Amino acid sequence: MTAQPFRFGPTAARDPAVHDLPALRLSNRAIAIHLLVRRADDGAWRARLRFTDPDLETHDTAEIFCAESEPELWDAVRSLPEHHVRALYLSLV
């Protein structure tokens, strides 16, 4: 999974930055995927996935990504295979 971890200015510690990830193709539908990244009070980087289907229904995971640095967090996101992303989505719907 590839994404561009760019920030457009400072964010508050609790306000997540939203990054677009490649869409998930499922039954001829494109499910939009967003990564919500934030820096927690303890200094750790945490993130969750947000899935939005064509009917504009939104489903969020828990903060399943956690790392000591933002590059480590992105490494974890990029290493998540597509079949795991599909399984995460299907577990939420």
Side-chain angles (χ1 to χ4, degrees):
M1 209 185 269
T2 60
Q4 298 299 322
F6 296 115
R7 295 197 182 276
F8 298 103
T11 59
R14 291 189 179 90
D15 294 337
V18 180
H19 302 279
D20 294 335
L21 299 178
L24 175 66
R25 300 277 177 211
L26 189 65
S27 301
N28 296 325
R29 297 183 334 169
I31 309 298
I33 305 174
H34 307 282
L35 185 73
L36 285 72
V37 179
R38 71 178 183 93
R39 187 148 190 199
D41 291 337
D42 63 1
W45 289 88
R46 302 181 190 282
R48 70 179 64 230
L49 292 174
R50 174 170 290 160
F51 299 95
T52 306
D53 66 24
D55 299 329
L56 298 179
E57 200 169 322
T58 301
H59 305 281
D60 287 6
T61 66
E63 288 182 329
I64 58 174
F65 299 101
C66 182
E68 291 183 21
S69 69
E70 192 174 15
E72 288 175 356
L73 181 87
W74 281 101
D75 287 342
V77 171
R78 288 184 188 106
S79 69
L80 189 65
E82 185 178 340
H83 66 277
H84 287 228
V85 175
R86 182 178 289 112
L88 280 168
Y89 173 73
L90 293 173
S91 73
L92 296 170
V93 293

